[in-house]
Amino acid sequence: ADFSITIPNSRDGESLRVCSSIGSLQFKESYSSKEFLGKTLDGSHYKPLKLDPVNAQSSVCISKALKWWEKSLEANMIEIHSAQQLVDALLNAGDKLVVVDFYAPGCGGCKALHPKICQLAELNPNTLFLKVNYEQLKAMCYALHVHVLPFFRFYRGAEGKVCSFSCTNATIKKFKGALEKYGTERCSLGPAKGLDETEILALSSIGQIKRDLVPSFDKVEEELVLNNGFKEGNAMAVV
């Protein structure tokens, strides 16, 4: 944008106007040739001063506002972007308690509960919180039978899934109770189990994960899982 600054002449009251634009800086007199502070200033002797347009605009900072689900996240809270990432995170968690938090940006209950979940994550640094955006990963959520929000699943080492439930601010005691019950130290009985076999098969059948993770099911059992497991027409309830 162009701008100009008028500097008064202390001797005769006449003025000098300084004009500028993003690309150059130029001096111009308000009259053809006048004295400024006792000296004659001729604008023709001054060459334009080039400015870097990028630097000229760098002083204007427009910060991107964080979405509510991006605020107050702790180091042990990880955003999941694919079914494969979820499977790998559960299998690599060892004996840690893992809480999978299913949420949606438009879910009022999820938004209201988010600050408390972040506080609980801070108070339980040894627990891993995996956040799943329902809107971005609908196919995966259908396969995992998640049809109500906010929704949580707890996994622990070789036990695999230990509990799952929907929770709101009004029923936060349920969440705290599960953290206390399944978050205590215990001896590992084997490698982390992660998702159930039926869930692995369901995710593989829709191309969400690698097929080498699929357990060996016979044909009848496989068809039963595929028919009853997930359909995109299933409705989701939002608390």
Side-chain angles (χ1 to χ4, degrees), residues 73-192:
L73 297 183
E74 298 298 322
N76 56 332
M77 301 180 78
I78 299 175
E79 186 74 25
I80 295 298
H81 299 287
S82 69
Q84 188 64 56
Q85 183 186 4
L86 175 63
V87 170
D88 293 341
L90 288 171
L91 292 178
N92 295 327
D95 196 42
K96 275 187 176 182
L97 175 63
V98 181
V99 178
V100 184
D101 175 3
F102 296 89
Y103 73 94
C107 171
C110 302
K111 182 178 180 180
L113 193 60
H114 177 71
K116 290 188 178 180
I117 298 300
C118 292
Q119 291 175 1
L120 290 171
E122 182 181 10
L123 294 173
N124 297 271
N126 293 326
T127 298
L128 182 61
F129 289 74
L130 304 180
K131 296 178 60 62
V132 176
N133 188 326
Y134 183 95
E135 293 299 326
Q136 293 182 353
L137 299 170
K138 285 184 179 181
M140 183 187 82
C141 292
Y142 288 144
L144 298 180
H145 308 291
V146 176
H147 306 300
V148 60
L149 296 177
F151 192 76
F152 302 91
R153 280 192 174 161
F154 286 60
Y155 295 82
R156 185 67 190 260
E159 297 177 64
K161 182 172 62 179
V162 291
C163 70
S164 60
F165 53 84
S166 180
C167 175
T168 65
N169 268 332
T171 57
I172 190 65
K173 287 184 178 180
K174 185 190 301 185
F175 190 97
K176 292 179 179 178
L179 278 178
E180 184 177 354
K181 179 178 181 180
Y182 300 107
T184 55
E185 293 186 7
R186 61 189 69 188
C187 296
S188 178
L189 301 177

